[in-house]
Amino acid sequence: MAARIYTDKEATLDPLLEKTCAVIGFGSQGRAHALNLRDSGIRVIVGLYPGSKSRASAKRDGLVVKSTAEAVRRADVIFLALPDTSMPEIYERNIAPHLAKGKTLLFAHGFAIHYQTIVPPKDVDVIMVAPKGLGPMVRAQFAEGKGVPSLIAIHQNASKRAKQTALAWAKAIGSTRAGVIKTTFREETETDLFGEQAVSCGGVSALIRAGFETLIEAGYQPEMAYFECLHEVKFIVDLIHEAGISGMREYISETAKWGDVSVGSKIIDRAVKQRMKKALQDIRHDRFAKEWLHETKSGRGRYSKRLKQDEAHLIESTGRRLRALMPWLQNGKT
């Protein structure tokens, strides 16, 4: 069954107009939400700890900045724009003691609620508004009079108005201009983690490195391997993003298209799909979350080691050298 899509006509800002909204954290999503809320006429404050470097940035943007605890005390709707791993401690120390009946907790990702690293009191609403784009895109699209699609979900509906609040927030950040889909905390969390691990981050990174290594081991120059296995991925992904897989195929050569349909399924075969299913089961049965939380609590030794190993890969030094030849790359990043 196709998902229900909510648009601007089906949402109103009314549930937020007489309320104070607090954005706890000022990373890319926090900043985008805070500025879009303000520009939509919503009263917004930013909650940050006293020594946060983000305080100066928020003040430069003309936002009111308070301590996290004070922001929670003053606010009716509290958006936790915080990393999954640091959120529980901040919640217990600075947020939970100041929650009161009738307030709303809002998340942009379901991890903390789904895996119960945070358990809110029953007399507050718990909702999610998750834009399907990075913070700078959420802000840029809003500024252009457009919007980034979002997901909304309701975990607790103590007020019986949680859905209206979620849609109002989505409207205030511009998402109803594009479209908003209702989901659940569980569905958003599990599909998001799976997509990151099996496809968009883990899967793509591993596929690129494996292709690069295959060419190097066969005697090809690292520069050629980089261009074919990493550099050109952007062009294909851009086409897929804009037009879908079939649309992408309309723009590539007949030879590339035949290679796509005749060889792709031999690389990503049934064995790979079975391992994807195993990864999904680890997510659904909390094994991934428990492993990640344990890794964080124990100092992230394995995590740091694996990142350093990948940073030392030949594909990275080759890429830095080649990207330096490409002046169109933004801000001179290499």
Side-chain angles (χ1 to χ4, degrees), residues 89-234:
E89 181 182 352
I90 295 170
Y91 174 82
E92 290 298 329
R93 185 174 67 247
N94 295 318
I95 298 173
H98 309 293
L99 290 177
K101 181 179 180 180
K103 289 181 182 283
T104 297
L105 284 176
L106 188 148
F107 299 81
H109 180 38
F111 189 100
I113 294 298
H114 180 57
Y115 292 119
Q116 298 184 325
T117 63
I118 288 176
V119 181
K122 295 296 184 183
D123 58 359
V124 303
D125 286 354
V126 180
I127 63 177
M128 177 171 58
V129 179
K132 302 310 293 178
L134 300 178
M137 180 185 292
V138 173
R139 178 58 181 164
Q141 288 295 298
F142 178 91
E144 293 177 13
K146 303 173 186 175
V148 171
S150 279
L151 306 176
I152 63 167
I154 314 301
H155 177 68
Q156 288 182 186
N157 187 17
S159 71
K160 308 304 180 185
R161 297 186 298 275
K163 179 181 173 183
Q164 289 87 338
T165 302
L167 284 172
W169 190 285
K171 184 180 180 73
I173 64 170
S175 287
T176 52
R177 299 171 183 173
V180 171
I181 294 174
K182 192 168 185 288
T183 182
T184 64
F185 273 73
R186 174 183 176 180
E187 184 177 51
E188 187 279 335
T189 303
E190 293 177 350
T191 57
D192 183 74
L193 292 175
F194 175 78
E196 290 170 348
Q197 294 170 26
V199 183
S200 62
C201 299
V204 167
S205 298
L207 182 65
I208 288 171
R209 282 194 299 269
F212 179 88
E213 291 167 1
T214 299
L215 289 179
I216 295 298
E217 291 163 7
Y220 296 97
Q221 297 179 86
E223 293 79 7
M224 295 300 296
Y226 179 88
F227 277 131
E228 300 305 328
C229 297
L230 190 153
H231 179 75
E232 293 195 7
V233 169
K234 171 182 167 42

Side-chain angles (χ1 to χ4, degrees), residues 228-278:
E228 300 305 328
C229 297
L230 190 153
H231 179 75
E232 293 195 7
V233 169
K234 171 182 167 42
F235 310 135
I236 299 302
V237 169
D238 283 350
L239 289 172
I240 293 172
H241 192 252
E242 293 170 8
I245 294 172
S246 294
M248 172 272 292
R249 288 173 175 163
E250 295 179 7
Y251 292 92
I252 62 177
S253 71
E254 294 299 312
T255 303
K257 201 178 303 182
W258 173 242
D260 176 353
V261 299
S262 65
V263 179
S265 60
K266 296 176 184 177
I267 305 299
I268 308 299
D269 59 10
R270 291 182 179 180
V272 173
K273 190 172 180 180
Q274 284 302 119
R275 289 192 288 275
M276 284 184 169
K277 290 182 177 180
K278 172 61 168 59

